[in-house]
């Protein structure tokens, strides 16, 4: 990403000289004066008075304007019944002093952590007061359950994730923050106001871009993190960043929510249930550094609404280093993108390796599912198992012939060659071997494009725009039958997309099991199917077809789930398969396709949108999830 603001603002100040001439009329003004001691409470006093576990008293200041002479003022004091705090009802100014102190006494052994008593002290002699100052002071006094540990580090994954929703871009920043620990709950930490004044984020982003940002603060602008179980770390409460963002004249102050917290509060899951059923919602703490997965928090513009859901609220860059530790990124990951079959029929694993910023080098090896991953990592390090060396992120294509379940193991190293991390990503490889009795004949390799155009303008596409390599087969005994295998970019299932094409190049197909799953706003999970729009609508929606002049196969796909025993269409899109070597005409055809295909689809039934209650592919609660 690029930083948002590469522009200058020039401000021209003009000085207008105003000359006042003499007037024939003269006016006199005599200001009134206030006499007496003029005792008052400063309006800069905090609303909270913090006690100390190592002391037995704390003082509160009261001020006066007249400094001469010693003065004792009497106070009306209001303390909750049963409070362990004793508040003096007088304060004495020494001769020449403008400040006196009210003493709050207590036994530190009797103070309950986290409990604050509301106290009011008020001047009870009106002759000593001033109309220009406060005559009373109300505050909460108590012993905080939070103790400052020192300065740690915070890597933002929140504001940098939120701003693109508004058309702005910001690189994630790493900067010092105050870290506190909870004295009552072991392993619970608080990142104090990570976006407030005094932080690098405020100084570099908010201050320098006042047109877009302002600090509005709030009560819950700190992150509370439960790391009592280092393998299942989570942000416990909802919170605000305290930053208001103004774009296009609209002010945004998003409310952020813990996904773990939402599942417990709104959907009745226990913490143990979530650890077992949804471990991907949790972060981990290792060597004093806490890292969170993408989507650990979500945001909404207001209170959480289960019917609406929330947007993705953080990148995987979100991390916190406790004092004495440093955030370094030796992470690794593998994203399996499917099987590629070359013109000779050889099959390959395809995917993308992503390495953290601090990784100097890495090695990867593929092992069968069930093999001891730790033993393999040790064997790679001692040289008894050969692995492939890499030094940067990128796509990989690895020859593989046997279908099955595997682990893609990556080991990362620092510049000195010391192992710093590892990852093991399970995936299912399908060589493209046909599983039925048909002896399918290989036709060609090609590229399958998702979402070359939206089929239903009211519903929008389910998939993001993407493409991947695949292969086309034909049934030699029935030349009207074709198969794209594997059809879907899904590492969990071997999928084959079978269709027929008639003499007029019209394509039709029955429902196809995609292997993908979608989660609705009530956390119900449904398996997705795909169907030909024309077939599903009994001829009301457009045909899939083959365009010979472009050598391109166009598919009008409707993606749906079986919901309460009924077919529930939820999204539609135009997809396309372009054979290798189709030439520039095919690419030009794809560029023209959105206009041409939308013209074909301009009579689509607009009720489709109403037929998909509870689903929203742009929302976190309905994001596509693989079969886990």
């Amino acid at each position: 990403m690029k930083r948002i603001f590469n522009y200058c603002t020039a401000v021209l100040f003009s000085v207008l000289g105003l000359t006042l001439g003499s007037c024939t009329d003269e006016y006199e003004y005599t200001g009134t004066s206030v006499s007496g001691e003029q005792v008052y409470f400063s309006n800069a006093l905090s609303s909270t008075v913090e006690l100390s576990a190592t002391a037995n008293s704390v003082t509160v200041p009261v001020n006066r304007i007249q400094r001469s002479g010693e003065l004792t003022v009497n106070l009306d004091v209001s303390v909750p019944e049963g409070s362990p705090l004793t508040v003096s009802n007088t304060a004495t100014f020494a001769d020449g002093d403008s400040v006196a102190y009210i003493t709050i006494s207590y036994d530190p052994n009797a103070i309950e952590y986290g409990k604050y008593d509301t106290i009011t002290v008020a001047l009870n002699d009106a002759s000593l007061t001033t109309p220009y100052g406060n005559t009373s002071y109300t505050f909460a006094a108590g012993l905080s359950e939070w103790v400052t540990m020192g300065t740690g580090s915070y890597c933002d994954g929140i504001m940098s994730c939120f701003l693109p929703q508004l058309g702005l871009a910001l690189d994630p920043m790493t900067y010092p923050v105050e870290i506190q620990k909870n004295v009552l709950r072991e392993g619970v930490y608080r990142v104090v106001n990570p976006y407030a004044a005094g932080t690098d984020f405020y100084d570099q982003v908010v201050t320098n871009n006042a047109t877009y940002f302002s600090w509005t603060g709030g009560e819950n602008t700190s992150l509370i993190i439960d790391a009592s179980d280092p393998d299942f770390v989570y942000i416990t409460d909802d919170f605000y960043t305290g930053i208001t963002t103004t774009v296009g004249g609209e002010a945004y102050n998003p409310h952020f929510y813990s996904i773990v917290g939402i599942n417990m509060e709104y959907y009745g899951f226990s913490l143990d249930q979530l650890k077992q059923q949804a471990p991907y919602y949790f972060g981990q703490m290792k060597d004093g550094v806490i890292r969170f997965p993408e989507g650990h928090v979500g945001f909404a513009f207001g209170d959480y609404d289960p019917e609406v859901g929330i947007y993705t609220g953080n990148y995987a860059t979100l991390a916190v280093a406790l004092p004495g530790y440093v955030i370094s990124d030796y992470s690794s990951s593998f994203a399996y993108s499917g099987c590629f079959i070359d013109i000779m029929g050889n099959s390959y694993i395809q995917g993308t390796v992503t390495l953290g910023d601090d990784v100097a080098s890495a090695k990867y090896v593929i092992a069968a599912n069930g093999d001891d991953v730790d033993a393999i990592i040790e064997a790679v390090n001692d040289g008894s198992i050969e692995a492939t060396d890499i030094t940067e992120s990128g796509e990989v294509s690895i020859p593989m012939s046997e279908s099955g379940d595997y682990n893609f193991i990556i080991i990362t190293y620092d510049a000195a060659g010391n192992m710093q991390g590892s990852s093991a990503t399970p995936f299912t490889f399908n060589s493209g071997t046909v599983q039925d009795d048909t002896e399918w004949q290989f036709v060609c390799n090609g590229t399958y494009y998702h979402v070359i155009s939206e089929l239903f303008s009211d519903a929008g596409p389910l998939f993001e725009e993407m493409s991947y390599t695949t292969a086309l087969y034909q049934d030699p005994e029935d030349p009207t039958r074709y198969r794209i295998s594997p059809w879907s970019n899904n590492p969990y299932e071997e999928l084959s997309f079978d269709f027929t094409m008639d003499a007029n190049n019209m394509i039709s197909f029955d429902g196809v099991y995609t292997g993908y799953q979608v989660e609705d706003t009530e956390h119900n999970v449904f398996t997705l199917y795909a169907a030909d729009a024309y077939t599903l609508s009994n001829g009301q929606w457009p045909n899939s077809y083959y365009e010979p002049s472009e050598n391109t196969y166009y598919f009008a796909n409707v993606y749906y789930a079986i919901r309460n025993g009924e077919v529930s269409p939820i999204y539609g899109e135009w997809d396309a398969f372009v054979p290798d070597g189709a030439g520039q005409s095919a690419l030009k055809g794809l560029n023209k396709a959105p206009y041409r295909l939308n013209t074909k689809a301009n009579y689509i039934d607009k009720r489709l949108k109403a037929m998909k209650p509870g689903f929203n592919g742009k929302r976190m609660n309905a994001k596509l999830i693989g079969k886990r």
Side-chain angles (χ1 to χ4, degrees):
M1 284 184 260
K2 297 180 179 177
R3 280 206 186 277
I4 22 191
F5 321 110
N6 294 320
Y7 56 80
C8 300
T9 302
V11 179
L12 177 64
F13 291 93
S14 299
V15 179
L16 302 178
L18 301 179
T19 303
L20 299 179
S22 62
C23 300
T24 56
D25 296 326
E26 294 183 359
Y27 298 90
E28 284 188 10
Y29 170 76
T30 302
T32 60
S33 61
V34 178
S35 61
E37 297 292 340
Q38 300 185 62
V39 181
Y40 66 95
F41 292 98
S42 170
N43 58 12
L45 290 174
S46 172
S47 61
T48 303
V49 172
E50 296 291 349
L51 307 181
S52 170
T54 59
N56 56 18
S57 67
V58 66
T59 59
V60 172
V62 58
N63 301 85
R64 69 172 175 172
I65 295 177
Q66 171 59 260
R67 297 188 180 193
S68 62
E70 181 179 289
L71 174 68
T72 296
V73 297
N74 295 317
L75 304 163
D76 290 330
V77 177
S78 174
V79 179
E81 184 177 354
S83 172
L85 306 178
T86 301
V87 183
S88 61
N89 58 7
T90 62
T92 299
F93 293 91
D95 182 24
D97 285 348
S98 63
V99 180
Y101 293 94
I102 303 165
T103 301
I104 303 172
S105 303
Y106 58 93
D107 177 359
N109 296 318
I111 300 299
E112 180 181 347
Y113 281 98
K115 183 177 183 298
Y116 286 74
D117 290 338
T118 300
I119 296 171
T120 298
V121 290
L123 302 170
N124 65 6
D125 187 347
S127 67
L128 300 177
T129 63
T130 172
Y132 305 118
N134 297 324
T135 59
S136 66
Y137 171 40
T138 299
F139 56 93
L143 183 59
S144 174
E145 62 185 293
W146 299 102
V147 176
T148 297
M149 299 174 64
T151 300
S153 296
Y154 176 74
C155 183
D156 167 54
I158 294 175
M159 285 299 288
S160 56
C161 181
F162 164 66
L163 291 178
Q165 311 289 335
L166 306 179
L168 303 175
L170 179 71
D171 288 332
M173 298 175 59
T174 299
Y175 48 92
V177 290
E178 179 186 352
I179 305 290
Q180 298 175 335
K181 67 178 180 179
N182 194 291
V183 297
L184 301 179
R185 295 172 289 169
E186 185 69 27
V188 176
Y189 304 97
R190 182 163 70 172
V191 182
V192 180
N193 293 332
Y195 299 97
T199 64
D200 288 357
F201 183 91
Y202 186 92
D203 294 341
Q204 296 180 28
V205 177
V206 179
T207 300
N208 294 330
N209 300 281
T211 302
Y212 289 100
F213 302 111
S214 61
W215 169 257
T216 51
E219 293 184 1
N220 54 334
T221 55
S222 296
L223 301 185
I224 299 177
I225 301 169
D226 189 328
S228 55
D229 184 340
D231 293 325
F232 294 93
V233 179
Y234 63 100
I235 293 172
T236 61
D237 302 314
D238 62 310
F239 61 94
Y240 292 87
T241 64
I243 300 292
T244 293
T245 308
T246 302
V247 177
E250 295 289 331
Y252 301 91
N253 189 14
H255 198 167
F256 289 87
Y257 296 87
S258 162
I259 299 303
V260 173
I262 280 179
N263 275 281
M264 290 193 289
E265 180 178 355
Y266 289 91
Y267 301 106
F269 287 94
S270 70
L271 184 60
D272 287 338
Q273 285 176 319
L274 289 173
K275 288 180 179 180
Q276 294 177 3
Q277 299 178 27
Y280 41 85
Y281 284 153
F282 293 86
Q284 289 80 39
M285 182 171 75
K286 182 180 180 181
D287 297 329
V289 178
I290 299 168
R291 302 182 188 278
F292 295 97
E294 184 173 354
H296 180 79
V297 298
F299 76 86
F301 295 108
D303 294 335
Y304 175 69
D305 184 347
E307 293 298 319
V308 177
I310 50 182
Y311 293 88
T312 299
N314 71 283
Y315 292 135
T317 55
L318 181 60
V320 176
L322 300 182
Y325 297 92
V326 177
I327 296 175
S328 56
D329 188 0
Y330 290 102
S331 64
S332 62
S333 64
F334 173 69
Y336 177 63
S337 58
C339 169
F340 170 71
I341 302 174
D342 64 21
I343 197 67
M344 301 301 294
N346 300 312
S347 55
Y348 299 81
I349 292 171
Q350 287 195 310
T352 302
V353 171
T354 302
L355 303 178
D357 290 339
D358 295 307
V359 175
S361 64
K363 296 181 179 181
Y364 70 79
V365 65
I366 297 173
N369 187 35
D371 288 351
D372 189 331
V373 172
D374 291 334
I376 292 172
I377 292 173
E378 182 178 348
V380 169
N381 284 329
D382 66 25
S384 57
I385 289 182
E386 186 177 351
T388 301
D389 295 308
I390 52 175
T391 57
E392 59 185 19
S393 303
E395 295 183 356
V396 294
S397 184
I398 307 163
M400 178 71 75
S401 59
E402 185 175 348
S403 298
D405 295 326
Y406 295 92
N407 277 314
F408 196 99
I409 301 171
I410 306 173
I411 309 165
T412 59
Y413 302 89
D414 60 21
N418 301 311
M419 175 182 163
Q420 292 293 341
S422 64
S423 64
T425 305
F427 68 97
T428 299
F429 174 68
N430 303 300
S431 65
T433 304
V434 178
Q435 300 299 313
D436 62 16
D437 293 334
T438 303
E439 294 184 1
W440 293 91
Q441 181 177 344
F442 175 80
V443 177
C444 65
N445 290 310
T447 302
Y448 193 93
Y449 293 88
H450 266 301
V451 200
I452 61 170
S453 177
E454 296 183 11
L455 176 57
F456 307 109
S457 59
D458 281 357
L462 177 62
F463 290 88
E464 298 293 333
E465 293 184 13
M466 63 180 180
S467 62
Y468 43 84
T469 56
T470 184
L472 179 67
Y473 296 86
Q474 187 176 31
D475 183 351
E477 296 184 2
D478 182 358
T480 66
R481 293 183 63 212
Y482 292 85
R483 165 172 288 187
I484 295 177
S485 179
W487 165 64
S488 174
N489 181 24
N490 188 331
Y492 303 100
E493 297 286 342
E494 179 172 351
L495 305 174
S496 294
F497 178 19
D498 294 352
F499 62 91
T500 60
M501 186 169 65
D502 64 20
N504 295 317
N505 297 323
M506 294 294 104
I507 292 174
S508 61
F509 51 92
D510 296 326
V512 179
Y513 170 72
T514 70
Y516 280 109
Q517 294 175 324
V518 70
E519 182 177 307
D520 69 7
T521 54
E522 298 176 355
H523 290 272
N524 300 309
V525 176
F526 300 90
T527 297
L528 283 176
Y529 296 80
D532 177 44
Y534 186 86
T535 303
L536 184 65
S537 65
N538 294 319
Q540 297 301 307
W541 298 341
N543 276 104
S544 301
Y545 66 97
Y546 171 68
E547 178 56 59
S549 65
E550 299 165 1
N551 192 17
T552 299
Y553 300 79
Y554 292 104
F555 300 100
N557 274 321
V558 177
Y559 293 96
Y560 64 92
I562 305 298
R563 184 180 177 130
N564 299 325
E566 298 181 357
V567 174
S568 176
I570 52 175
Y571 290 95
E573 66 186 46
W574 281 101
D575 299 340
F577 173 74
V578 179
D580 288 351
Q584 293 299 314
S585 61
L587 299 179
K588 292 178 180 178
L590 288 181
N591 292 333
K592 296 177 180 178
Y595 171 78
R596 182 179 68 249
L597 300 182
N598 281 333
T599 301
K600 282 177 171 284
N602 60 10
Y603 54 87
I604 293 300
D605 188 345
K606 299 302 183 183
R607 292 175 300 170
L608 181 68
K609 186 176 183 179
M611 297 170 70
K612 59 179 187 68
F615 289 101
N616 190 331
K618 302 301 182 185
R619 304 281 184 172
M620 173 177 290
N621 286 356
K623 66 179 181 181
L624 277 176
I625 56 176
K627 183 178 179 182
R628 296 189 183 277

